[in-house]
Amino acid sequence: MQENSDRSGEILEFEDFELDNAAAELRKAGELVPVEPQVFDLIAFLAMRPNQIVTRDDILADVWGGRIVSESAISTRINAARKALSDSGSDQRLIKTVHGRGFRFECTPKVRVMGSPEDSSQPFLSPKPTVAVLAFESLSGDPERSFLAEGIREDISTELSRYSEVMVIAAGSLSLQALASTDHRAISSELGVSHVISGSVRISGDKARVSVQLLDATSAEQIWAERFDRSLDDIFEVQEEIAAIVVNLLVGKIAHRTYERSLHKKPDALDAYENALRALVLLRDWDRSETAEAVEAAARAVSVAPDFAWAHALLAWSHLLQAVLRWSDDPGLSFKQGHAAAMRAVELDYAEPWAHAALGFSELWGRHDHASGLASLEHAIELNPNNAHFRVWYSNGLCLAGNSEAGLHEIELAMRLNPKFPPIYLHFLARILATLGRYEDALRHLGRATLWASSSTNTLALAASCHAAVGRTEEAKTLIERLLAISPSFRIAVVPEASPYANPEDLDRYIENLRLAGLPE
């Protein structure tokens, strides 16, 4: 588990419980609750990671010191922890089992430092942007139709919890429910959240209008708002679709706002999460200098928190992008560094989807192992099915593996999941269309892509090949000149490395078009 810190002098307060780390005591309403030392350690481990999913491996590493114990031993301690907290396996009021993933502490403690006055307690603050998902208001006037509002809120909370970029206040938090009608500043003060999501649902006949807004919890400033009008042909499909779109848009907005705030700090003052988030944002624009900065930011995150799987995954992406786009002085070394970082990320946290996505990227582009690469990307999607970015990379992997039709389906799905997708998606869509021989369709997207990713060697090469394929040799040669100005070593000989097609016919056709465009051998 990442980013552990010394909290030995702190008392965590939640409901009517106090968890005193220094005295190793659990108290309820001032009365001592007898607990075994290992059960106390388990409660402390969970309570110090409120609203985060912790895996069984995380618990083994911290509570059992890395020793291997049976599943029944962990279950016994979880049950004992619940009993000490007046909780149970059926209620799961405080310790919730997240099936297939681990456990989550459902309450946000306040922190009181030993020796400080009791009224100086502060919310438990996470280095990540923390999101409270409030109850959606049903405006239909029919209590029996209020289930859609609750369903969308639940789905948004569930899908947000799959993202490494944010931490979500659990929808079942009792304190959150009590605060549902108060102002957002009060929620921020009470729960220590940085962002609040709220919304409403209005149903009229077979139509539904869903409104969602994201606010800065400390200032009540509206960061983003959107309205969705849908037909209620399949109520559950509508619920899932809106939640998936909202989450893709929200995560990007929250991450970028947090990144902008981090720019006011010096690099050596950033914590591991802030450095990792900076790397993530810098990687999104496929800019040569920003990718170099992403390598540095991710490396700082790993240095601060060596067991931070997400940081290792982003370090892998940074090195791999430098290698694929030939921005590195030694692409071979960058591939090796990227693969090692991806392997380390998977080793640290097998449930981290970014780790498997990075490993898939490495296997496909670095080792040209299409089967292994696709399997890793598929696993990333299994862990976070609605992450549009993973589906985009998977679509390109399918294209390179010789299944462009399936790749086209995947990227169209990604664009539906993220309607305000970044321009990087256009590059991948154009790649698939060009591989299918639809050069004019590809060029309609590449015009914007080459303006946006002006230093992307692969985007320039793809655009040049498409122009050459339809007989626009002058446009093709101009693009090749731009490409060689960025990467003088880019030649026909490196194309199989930069675009590792499994199907020889796809590769031969691409190379022939690049020859027509004037790319040197």
Side-chain angles (χ1 to χ4, degrees), residues 3 111 135-136 156 170 179 181 188 192 251 262 340 372 393 401 430 436 442 493 514:
E3 300 183 76
V111 181
F136 275 42
I156 289 174
L179 285 165
S181 62
S188 175
V251 169
S262 77
S372 294
W393 284 98
L436 290 169
L514 285 172

Side-chain angles (χ1 to χ4, degrees), residues 261-410:
R261 286 177 171 172
S262 77
L263 295 178
H264 298 292
K265 296 183 180 181
K266 294 180 179 179
D268 58 3
L270 299 175
D271 62 28
Y273 173 79
E274 289 171 320
N275 274 304
L277 184 62
R278 181 172 285 194
L280 175 68
V281 174
L282 288 166
L283 286 170
R284 287 181 174 173
D285 285 340
W286 273 30
D287 178 85
R288 185 173 190 164
S289 62
E290 289 184 355
T291 302
E293 290 181 48
V295 172
E296 295 175 359
R300 285 196 300 269
V302 168
S303 176
V304 172
D307 294 336
F308 192 1
W310 189 46
H312 284 275
L314 291 171
L315 181 60
W317 279 96
S318 305
H319 282 307
L320 293 167
L321 196 59
Q322 283 189 320
V324 169
L325 298 178
R326 303 192 70 77
W327 290 337
S328 166
D329 293 335
D330 188 344
L333 175 61
S334 293
F335 269 127
K336 289 179 181 178
Q337 291 172 323
H339 186 74
M343 292 290 288
R344 180 60 177 153
V346 172
E347 177 186 341
L348 286 169
D349 188 354
Y350 196 77
E352 171 54 66
W354 277 96
H356 293 280
L359 184 59
F361 185 8
S362 175
E363 294 285 0
L364 267 165
W365 278 266
R367 300 192 166 199
H368 302 181
D369 186 338
H370 297 79
S372 294
L374 289 175
S376 292
L377 287 166
E378 286 166 1
H379 192 60
I381 291 171
E382 287 173 8
L383 291 168
N384 192 347
N386 289 321
N387 187 307
H389 296 319
F390 295 163
R391 289 193 177 274
V392 166
W393 284 98
Y394 181 54
S395 74
N396 202 36
L398 287 168
C399 172
L400 293 174
N403 195 352
S404 293
E405 291 289 353
L408 184 60
H409 170 78
E410 283 293 328

